[in-house]
Amino acid sequence: MSAPRVAFVNLGCRVNRVEVDLIAQELARAGCVIVKPEEADAVVVNTCAVTAEAEAKTRKVVRRAASLGQVPVVVATGCVASLFSDELASIAPNVTVEADKSRVSETVLGELGLPAGSVGDDGELVATPTPTGRARPGIKVQDGCDNRCTYCIVWKARGAARSMGSGEVVSAVRDALSRGAREVVLTGINLGSFRGTCAGGGRIALPGLLELVLRETTVERVRLSSIEPPDVDGELLSVMAANPARIAPFLHVCLQSGCDATLRRMGRVYDTALYRTAIARAREMVPGIAVGCDLIVGFPGETDDDFERSLAFCAEMDFAKMHVFRYSRRPGTPAASAPDQVGPDVMAARSSRMRALADRMRHDQAARRVGQEELVVVQRPGRGVTGGLFDVRLDASVPVDALVRVRIGAVMEDGTLVAVGA
């Protein structure tokens, strides 16, 4: 019997990529090999419902996978599978919906007529590449969200906030290291709400988890994925400041708008004053830290003045990285039926201005790093990423997956750093 061939199509954020990684590992242990969708016996589609556009793309991708010439089994999972399972299942006879990600590998093997734990011809586990790569794998330590932002439906799909046990996190980090990781990224839907159980039965928050991972493993660098502003507190920053060589000097602090009136309509749990204080404290306690954010333009009720306030606040924050999104009307959320919806032309113009600001700030931040030393994870020949999440061009002879210290000699027009001495 030849090894079953499985392909993955991932839609959405880093948390989704981490989940795909875990499913791929489970199927690899069962003897599967990872191939392109056109070559696969089964295609796993990890769906995303964060916007109406993402949901529409999900249906398109599932439909395309189901119509491939070899007629593979298509297993859809993720947020859209949780919210609209019947609709996805009706796309084609070869589509199966499995909302429970912990059962996806079992479902794939079952649909292929194979028992869980079956292996390939040689009886050995088949080594496979995983979607997020070896050098910087993500580890999902938290899922779900207890916030109720008026534009978001993810909390319905993901459920209440819940956390992995601290011992499980340590084991996952050690497993990643055994597979060649040099940096691990701790991720979650609402990472700052992490409250994991300890060996003694107590609870541990994110700062304590960072200390535990550093103490109990040999991981060379830990990075945090996005975090809410109230969670950027003195305790977390103290841990980062005490471990500058092993915790990446970067925080992606969700903003969504730099206007307080818009933040209130969004149902966010902070205002610009709290955000400003959190970022100022981070820069004081962790010198050289780079800060990123998510930003929505065109939220219902956003006036020209509201947008100008948001634009000015972002300029004041001097972000190193911004993800700028146009508001996407998401059925089933309060914002979708709110008055004063912003027209697409206005949103496009605002997005263009915000992205131009983001590009200028990123280039300026990159230029400040010329002449400095940076610790770089090499992700592919001649390319890597710094602790502050800047792309770096370096000598192609440096081994992939290496963690190397380089000196920055120049910055390219797109903000990519150019290393010397590596």
Side-chain angles (χ1 to χ4, degrees):
M1 170 184 162
S2 61
R5 300 166 299 172
V6 181
F8 290 87
V9 180
N10 179 52
L11 306 169
C13 63
R14 175 174 275 278
V15 174
N16 277 1
R17 294 196 296 273
V18 171
E19 291 164 344
V20 166
D21 214 356
L22 294 173
I23 296 168
Q25 291 170 31
E26 291 173 358
L27 287 169
R29 286 192 288 269
C32 298
V33 293
I34 309 303
V35 297
K36 298 177 181 178
E38 295 77 13
E39 304 168 354
D41 303 308
V43 180
V44 177
V45 181
N46 198 22
T47 68
C48 178
V50 69
T51 65
E53 286 82 0
E55 185 186 322
K57 184 177 181 181
T58 285
R59 295 189 185 92
K60 183 177 180 180
V61 168
V62 171
R63 190 174 295 109
R64 184 187 302 136
S67 65
L68 289 170
Q70 76 276 24
V71 194
V73 169
V74 178
V75 178
T77 189
C79 291
V80 180
S82 297
L83 294 166
F84 308 109
S85 59
D86 291 344
E87 185 177 343
L88 284 182
S90 68
I91 287 177
N94 55 325
V95 174
T96 297
V97 177
E98 180 52 78
D100 184 351
K101 288 192 177 73
S102 68
R103 294 178 56 86
V104 169
S105 58
E106 179 183 339
T107 299
V108 169
L109 294 172
E111 290 294 325
L112 293 174
L114 300 168
S118 59
V119 297
D121 288 335
D122 56 5
E124 298 294 329
L125 296 182
V126 181
T128 62
T130 54
T132 54
R134 292 190 302 165
R136 300 177 57 238
I139 296 174
K140 189 179 74 170
V141 303
Q142 187 277 336
D143 202 352
C145 185
D146 295 331
N147 296 334
R148 297 294 182 267
C149 299
T150 61
Y151 55 82
C152 185
I153 201 168
V154 171
W155 64 270
K156 290 185 179 180
R158 293 280 183 168
R162 54 203 182 276
S163 303
M164 182 187 289
S166 60
E168 294 176 275
V169 176
V170 169
S171 295
V173 172
R174 288 173 176 164
D175 181 60
L177 297 181
S178 73
R179 292 182 284 111
R182 309 303 294 269
E183 170 183 305
V184 298
V185 186
L186 303 184
T187 74
I189 295 298
N190 187 356
L191 181 62
S193 70
F194 177 87
R195 297 293 184 275
T197 55
C198 299
R203 291 279 178 175
I204 185 172
L206 185 60
L209 179 68
L210 275 174
E211 291 181 314
L212 181 67
V213 167
L214 296 180
R215 185 171 64 249
E216 298 294 330
T217 77
T218 58
V219 64
E220 292 176 71
R221 187 160 73 190
V222 180
R223 183 183 300 278
L224 300 179
S225 67
S226 60
I227 192 169
E228 295 287 314
D231 299 316
V232 183
D233 57 18
E235 187 177 2
L236 175 65
L237 294 171
S238 293
V239 176
M240 295 182 69
N243 299 277
R246 296 183 70 195
I247 300 179
F250 179 84
L251 284 174
H252 185 97
V253 188
C254 302
L255 176 58
Q256 310 306 0
S257 177
C259 170
D260 286 333
T262 305
L263 289 173
R264 287 193 293 270
R265 291 195 302 276
M266 289 178 167
R268 301 295 285 166
V269 294
Y270 54 86
D271 58 16
T272 54
L274 185 152
Y275 196 99
R276 180 184 289 111
T277 298
I279 300 307
R281 180 187 295 171
R283 287 172 169 155
E284 178 184 356
M285 296 182 66
V286 187
I289 192 171
V291 180
C293 79
D294 291 329
L295 198 287
I296 297 173
V297 300
F299 189 76
E302 184 185 66
T303 65
D304 288 343
D305 184 61
D306 291 340
F307 172 73
E308 296 297 338
R309 289 176 184 273
S310 187
L311 188 72
F313 185 78
C314 289
E316 177 191 344
M317 291 299 97
D318 194 19
F319 291 114
K321 191 176 183 68
M322 288 180 67
H323 294 157
V324 179
F325 303 93
R326 303 179 199 182
Y327 168 69
S328 176
R329 199 169 186 171
R330 189 67 183 78
T333 63
S337 57
D340 301 319
Q341 297 285 326
V342 178
D345 291 345
V346 174
M347 279 199 280
R350 291 176 182 174
S351 175
S352 179
R353 290 183 62 194
M354 192 66 78
R355 289 175 188 274
L357 171 65
D359 289 344
R360 289 197 302 271
M361 290 191 297
R362 182 159 182 78
H363 191 278
D364 290 347
Q365 287 267 347
R368 295 173 203 168
R369 284 158 171 78
V370 173
Q372 297 184 5
E373 286 193 347
E374 296 278 355
L375 199 58
V376 175
V377 173
V378 183
Q379 296 183 283
R380 60 185 189 275
R383 302 298 290 234
V385 64
T386 71
L389 218 56
F390 287 92
D391 294 326
V392 180
R393 179 172 290 179
L394 68 168
D395 194 310
S397 65
V398 180
V400 173
D401 294 344
L403 185 66
V404 296
R405 188 169 295 278
V406 302
R407 183 177 178 82
I408 304 303
V411 58
M412 299 171 65
E413 187 176 346
D414 65 356
T416 298
L417 302 176
V418 180
V420 294

